[in-house]
Amino acid sequence: MAVQTADELTKKKCKPCEGGVEPFDLGEARAQLEKLPGWRLTHDNHRIRKDWVAKDFMAALRFFEECAIVAEKDGHHPDLHIEGYRNVSVELWTHAIGGLSENDFILAAKIDRLPIDLK
Ligand SMILES: C[C@H](O)[C@H](O)[C@H]1CNC2=NC(N)=NC(=O)C2=N1
């Protein structure tokens, strides 16, 4: 998969995925992450994750709601983590293929455009 800019990714819509798609290999994932500041590989390079510190608990949950709206619109869903009432992380992977697909990078780029009240 050719590397896309964050802007190019935000212009795309996630495609329904029920398997049968080859996951990104490590090289492809690393190359695409260059265009997505703050995102890193986790879970043996099968997921991508980014962390924020929200202003407070409600700001964290408002951010999660924004993420949920984008996820539902695109039909692709993040794992959402909150610890210590305001430390939030979003983790993305394509469950149907047990690894990373273009959908994960599309959603990451869209999530980066969402409003969040930071600490
Ligand atoms: C048909 C539709 O694409 C699937 O049910 C979607 C729903 N949301 C999803 N979200 C994520 N992260 N991975 C999936 O494999 C997935 N599958």
Side-chain angles (χ1 to χ4, degrees), residues 92-103:
L92 289 159
W93 54 295
T94 302
H95 303 196
I97 61 171
L100 290 167
S101 73
E102 186 189 36
N103 286 350

Side-chain angles (χ1 to χ4, degrees), residues 32-107:
Q32 185 56 76
L33 279 184
E34 292 285 313
K35 305 294 183 186
L36 294 167
W39 291 88
R40 67 187 189 279
L41 287 161
T42 60
H43 280 80
D44 202 21
N45 304 318
H46 291 146
R47 304 183 189 181
I48 56 174
R49 188 176 180 126
K50 185 169 179 176
D51 312 310
W52 294 262
V53 181
K55 183 165 68 85
D56 54 32
F57 186 66
M58 293 311 288
L61 294 186
R62 283 195 298 273
F63 175 60
F64 278 0
E65 185 172 8
E66 296 282 345
C67 292
I69 291 164
V70 169
E72 282 296 288
K73 219 181 271 180
D74 268 57
H76 195 70
H77 302 85
D79 294 347
L80 302 173
H81 303 265
I82 179 167
E83 289 176 73
Y85 76 89
R86 64 179 177 186
N87 300 294
V88 297
S89 298
V90 173
E91 194 157 63
L92 289 159
W93 54 295
T94 302
H95 303 196
I97 61 171
L100 290 167
S101 73
E102 186 189 36
N103 286 350
D104 300 304
F105 297 98
I106 290 169
L107 211 59

